[in-house]
Amino acid sequence: MTPAQTERLMQVHQRAAQAGHGRKTEIYRAAADELGMSLASLQRALGKLTVRSTRKRRADAGSTALSREEALVISSLLLESTRKNGKRLYSIADAVNALRADRMIKAQYVDEETGEVRPLSESTISRALYGYGLHPSQLMAPAPAVELASEHPNHVWQIDASLCVLYYLRPEADVRRNGLRVMDHDEFYKNKPKNLARIAADRVWSYEITDHASGWVYVEYVMGAESGENLCSVLINAMQDRGGADLLHGVPRILYMDAGSANTAAMTKALCKALGIEILVHRVGNARATGQVENARNLIERKFEPGLKFQPVNSLDELNGLARKWRAHFNATAVHSRHNMTRTDAWLRILATQLIKCPPVEVCRELAVSAPQLRKVTPQLRVSYGGREFDVSTVPGILVGAKIPVTRNPWRDDAAQVVLVGADGREVIHVVSEVTRGEFGFAHTARTIGQEFRGIAETPAQSAAKEIEQLVTGTTTVGDAETARKAKAVPYGGRFNPYQEIDAAQLPAFMPRRGTDHHLVAPVVQVPPLTLFELAKRLKTLLGDMWTADSYAWLEQHHPKGAPEDDISAIAQSLRASRRPELRIVRSA
């Protein structure tokens, strides 16, 4: 617009401002004809050159007759009637009418001029829902997200499995009929489940892996379903050095994925644990946490898979061959919007200390099925694993007799790994060396007699035992504790009274309980009497030298049939009394 046109428009604006009501349009039309433009163009030009006064805000702006309690009820019904795909089945008007009919809400106002009670309009209720922040479009909006960063290439990898919705591979006896087939919507859709079940085993799945720092995309196709075996196979292949432009390889420090059953399978955990990969699983329903790998599936669907319709493949190997060519070209040529480099150029910035080379495929597959096994620590601080012996004396806090988890070391054949849990709750892997032996079967770490006297460092249990010994004996050194034990010192210096609780206890005075006498009748015990011979034998033992032949004759006379055992004492007394004193002849001098 020229300066002359601008000046003329300002004059038109001033004339229209001074004109009375209803005469502005006439002035605008005349000016539009003069300047050779339409009335709408003239209005737009004036709007750019002039400043219009803002409309006065209403005194009741921001207020509403709908209470928040009723807004909550309306919002809850709208949300409950919303499908998972976001489609709302109830409109605001239908929801309000249904709630009014059930007398759950009123949604009305009183006309101040007439005093009439009128229902609130749909637009008023909608504005009120927005004002309270309860409108479904507000509540169903995505939650705020934070940006996640990784330190360098191979710091974090994201992995996910996707079902190819358009293709399936059916092997035929006639190899000429093999190939990737497009799923016709008229033949395969939800209302024909039998057709879908028929090709379930032939459907193609893809695993996508992305390096979070560089955005490098790795894709590999598998058959069957999402499983721990397929996941481990793809992850192992991705970590291998494949050469050429297919650059992504090495062991990542963190593997970030969803909580799918295959992703948390024992095989995956065993493989990652052996390689020192930390597994992070985001919570269910938070797919944005691994949004990069989700976007990788979108890139593959738009940039790679459409071409398969024009160049059919006859096997899974052919499909993965094409995928390898595509990912090498895509990552080397497509510029990433975050770092403004190609994904390959960004990944090549990895340092030698950050690129951990992966063991061969065969070793990794063995690790995937070899979970840590518990092994008992011997008094020599060793454990046996895989038919060999390993020294665990370097593991902090090791105890004799403890059972610790041991697994294979993927990097060294002469070492194993002890998997423990650190103070922060994360797994800590300790590398332990194999115990080698000499010609006579002694370990090379054994102490030579007469040359080395250094013992093994104290275990925590030994240190604690010494500390306890000093506490019990009331001493401060190991020697003093031994001296106190030899002197039979009372533990704790006699301060500990194990019966203090009993002595201090004040038991209540219990009232005696009345009982009932037992109706037991004592049995009569009858003992057979001793015979004359048995009686004589017992009396001879009892009387000793006082027993004579006359004693037997006396016994035979008075107790010819014997007597009870209880009468032995009385009979012995009678025998002593019946014995006559012996007459002695005394010679005179």
Side-chain angles (χ1 to χ4, degrees):
M1 184 176 295
T2 63
Q5 290 176 326
T6 301
E7 184 179 357
R8 178 59 180 149
L9 287 174
M10 293 302 299
Q11 294 174 355
V12 171
H13 172 67
Q14 292 175 359
R15 287 183 57 193
Q18 297 172 358
H21 182 69
R23 298 182 57 190
K24 293 182 181 180
T25 303
E26 181 180 351
I27 297 174
Y28 289 148
R29 290 184 184 277
D33 293 339
E34 178 184 348
L35 296 174
M37 62 176 64
S38 65
L39 182 60
S41 299
L42 179 70
Q43 294 283 5
R44 285 195 297 271
L46 287 172
K48 296 179 180 179
L49 296 175
T50 60
V51 178
R52 298 182 181 180
S53 60
T54 58
R55 184 179 179 181
K56 184 179 180 181
R57 181 178 175 85
R58 289 174 47 180
D60 60 349
S63 62
T64 178
L66 184 70
S67 67
R68 191 174 187 277
E69 289 73 18
E70 291 190 338
L72 279 171
V73 176
I74 297 171
S75 178
S76 65
L77 180 58
L78 292 174
L79 287 178
E80 285 296 318
S81 64
T82 302
R83 290 178 177 173
K84 292 184 178 180
N85 60 3
K87 182 179 180 180
R88 292 206 305 268
L89 303 181
Y90 262 135
S91 65
I92 293 180
D94 293 338
V96 171
N97 290 337
L99 291 171
R100 280 175 177 156
D102 285 341
R103 297 184 179 180
M104 295 179 66
I105 63 170
K106 294 181 179 179
Q108 59 189 17
Y109 74 102
V110 179
D111 191 330
E112 296 181 355
E113 296 181 358
T114 63
E116 181 182 1
V117 178
R118 296 182 179 180
L120 294 174
S121 64
E122 180 182 354
S123 60
T124 301
I125 294 174
S126 179
R127 287 195 301 271
L129 291 176
Y130 273 111
Y132 288 125
L134 298 174
H135 197 279
S137 61
Q138 295 172 304
L139 299 178
M140 297 177 64
V146 297
E147 183 180 2
L148 300 177
S150 50
E151 299 176 357
H152 53 76
N154 281 19
H155 176 211
V156 179
W157 280 11
Q158 295 182 4
I159 186 169
D160 193 23
S162 304
L163 177 62
C164 296
V165 296
L166 298 179
Y167 307 102
Y168 68 101
L169 262 170
R170 169 173 286 184
E172 299 283 357
D174 185 359
V175 295
R176 293 174 298 179
R177 299 181 58 188
N178 290 346
L180 191 70
R181 304 186 181 187
V182 178
M183 295 177 61
D184 188 357
H185 180 269
D186 294 336
E187 184 181 1
F188 303 101
Y189 70 108
K190 64 179 181 179
N191 292 339
K192 293 185 178 181
K194 291 184 178 180
N195 291 348
L196 286 171
R198 179 166 47 86
I199 64 165
D202 302 325
R203 299 193 69 176
V204 179
W205 287 73
S206 69
Y207 276 90
E208 297 85 31
I209 298 177
T210 58
D211 174 64
H212 189 259
S214 64
W216 215 96
V217 178
Y218 178 91
V219 58
E220 185 175 338
Y221 292 88
V222 297
M223 297 288 292
E226 183 181 10
S227 65
E229 182 179 357
N230 281 336
L231 172 64
C232 288
S233 177
V234 173
L235 181 60
I236 291 171
N237 292 338
M239 291 188 295
Q240 301 299 312
D241 188 352
R242 299 171 299 278
D246 198 11
L247 281 178
L248 180 73
H249 68 280
V251 178
R253 276 172 41 187
I254 297 175
L255 191 63
Y256 200 15
M257 51 189 171
D258 60 29
S261 58
N263 290 344
T264 55
M267 293 179 63
T268 308
K269 291 181 178 179
L271 176 64
C272 292
K273 183 178 295 185
L275 295 176
I277 302 174
E278 180 181 0
I279 296 179
L280 292 182
V281 180
H282 65 72
R283 63 179 175 84
V284 177
N286 186 27
R288 288 188 303 178
T290 52
Q292 186 186 68
V293 75
E294 299 285 347
N295 185 60
R297 163 90 315 244
N298 181 50
L299 292 173
I300 294 166
E301 287 182 351
R302 293 190 298 107
K303 297 182 177 297
F304 171 61
E305 292 182 350
L308 298 174
K309 186 175 182 180
F310 305 98
Q311 185 176 345
V313 295
N314 297 320
S315 66
L316 190 65
D317 292 338
E318 286 189 35
L319 179 59
N320 281 322
L322 282 179
R324 176 175 180 174
K325 292 180 180 179
W326 173 83
R327 68 180 182 240
H329 178 267
F330 173 78
N331 289 296
T333 56
V335 176
H336 198 291
S337 59
R338 173 165 43 84
H339 47 62
N340 294 322
M341 295 182 287
T342 66
R343 293 162 172 81
T344 295
D345 288 340
W347 190 88
L348 285 173
R349 297 198 173 194
I350 190 170
L351 302 178
T353 56
Q354 299 164 351
L355 179 56
I356 309 300
K357 295 291 185 176
C358 184
V361 174
E362 295 75 15
V363 175
C364 289
R365 288 177 178 172
E366 182 180 344
L367 295 174
V369 296
S370 59
Q373 300 177 7
L374 292 179
R375 290 293 183 265
K376 188 175 182 179
V377 180
T378 66
Q380 291 78 28
L381 297 183
R382 299 169 185 169
V383 294
S384 59
Y385 177 77
R388 293 183 291 174
E389 209 173 15
F390 296 91
D391 182 9
V392 296
S393 60
T394 57
V395 178
I398 199 67
L399 298 175
V400 174
K403 291 185 177 181
I404 57 176
V406 183
T407 186
R408 177 179 174 179
N409 188 315
W411 319 110
R412 292 171 51 187
D413 292 333
D414 60 343
Q417 295 183 161
V418 176
V419 185
L420 300 178
V421 179
D424 57 356
R426 296 188 176 185
E427 289 184 342
V428 180
I429 296 178
H430 300 274
V431 178
V432 293
S433 300
E434 181 182 1
V435 176
T436 57
R437 299 186 179 276
E439 180 182 1
F440 297 102
F442 296 111
H444 287 110
T445 55
R447 308 288 188 261
T448 303
I449 298 175
Q451 298 181 13
E452 297 175 287
F453 301 97
R454 180 171 53 89
I456 299 177
E458 285 187 349
T459 65
Q462 290 176 295
S463 300
K466 290 182 179 179
E467 187 177 358
I468 291 174
E469 189 72 4
Q470 295 171 25
L471 175 64
V472 172
T473 57
T475 57
T476 56
T477 64
V478 176
D480 292 343
E482 293 177 353
T483 302
R485 285 296 189 186
K486 291 180 180 179
K488 307 297 182 182
V490 180
Y492 302 106
R495 298 187 307 274
F496 175 63
N497 180 9
Y499 307 109
Q500 179 65 33
E501 183 181 3
I502 298 175
D503 297 338
Q506 296 181 357
L507 301 180
F510 299 102
M511 293 182 63
R513 292 293 184 268
R514 185 171 56 185
T516 303
D517 293 337
H518 198 286
H519 299 290
L520 176 65
V521 178
V524 178
V525 181
Q526 295 182 350
V527 180
L530 298 175
T531 64
L532 177 64
F533 177 77
E534 292 174 343
L535 184 60
K537 185 178 180 181
R538 298 284 292 275
L539 289 170
K540 182 178 180 181
T541 303
L542 182 63
L543 295 175
D545 294 340
M546 295 183 66
W547 177 265
T548 63
D550 294 337
S551 299
Y552 185 83
W554 182 92
L555 186 63
E556 187 177 18
Q557 180 183 359
H558 291 84
H559 300 282
K561 296 182 179 181
E565 186 175 1
D566 295 339
D567 296 343
I568 291 179
S569 297
I571 296 173
Q573 187 67 25
S574 299
L575 276 171
R576 291 189 186 95
S578 63
R579 185 178 179 183
R580 297 176 182 180
E582 295 182 357
L583 297 177
R584 295 182 179 181
I585 301 174
V586 179
R587 295 180 182 180
S588 57

